[in-house]
Amino acid sequence: MTSDKKVQAIKLLKQGLETIQARAYTEIAEIPTDDQDDFQVKYSFVHEGIEGIFTVIGKAAPAASEEGEIKFTLLSEFAEDSLHYESATAKEQVDNDLISAESYLNDHINQG
């Protein structure tokens, strides 16, 4: 994956999370990675009095359908020492939101 695609993927991740009305997500910082096909971005979220910080891990792989296209998988990682770590509801909501953001990202990353 090129550095331009990585920048575009992070931008699309942010746009995808911004489409979610039930929770507020704020990008904190990109975390440098050694792997060219991965990216990591730290986010904060607020939902129904639960505030938390997590890391989105994006992994790129060639798309099965078209040569040269990329498909991303998004995962969340919560620090074990955080206050919301034990909140299965918060993690479940974030993971469900990431499914939507992943779909948005993959729908737009290979266009133009």
Side-chain angles (χ1 to χ4, degrees), residues 67-88:
E67 189 174 319
E69 288 194 354
I70 297 171
K71 180 175 172 131
F72 284 88
T73 303
L74 300 178
L75 307 166
S76 66
E77 184 176 272
F78 289 80
E80 290 185 30
D81 62 347
S82 63
L83 297 175
H84 55 278
Y85 182 74
E86 296 299 322
S87 175

Side-chain angles (χ1 to χ4, degrees), residues 17 20 23 25 45 47 50 54 74-78 84-100:
L17 288 174
I20 296 161
R23 279 163 287 290
Y25 289 96
F45 71 93
H47 176 68
I50 299 174
F54 68 100
L74 300 178
L75 307 166
S76 66
E77 184 176 272
F78 289 80
H84 55 278
Y85 182 74
E86 296 299 322
S87 175
T89 302
K91 292 194 306 189
E92 184 178 318
Q93 289 169 341
V94 167
D95 287 341
N96 285 336
D97 291 347
L98 282 181
I99 291 169
S100 296

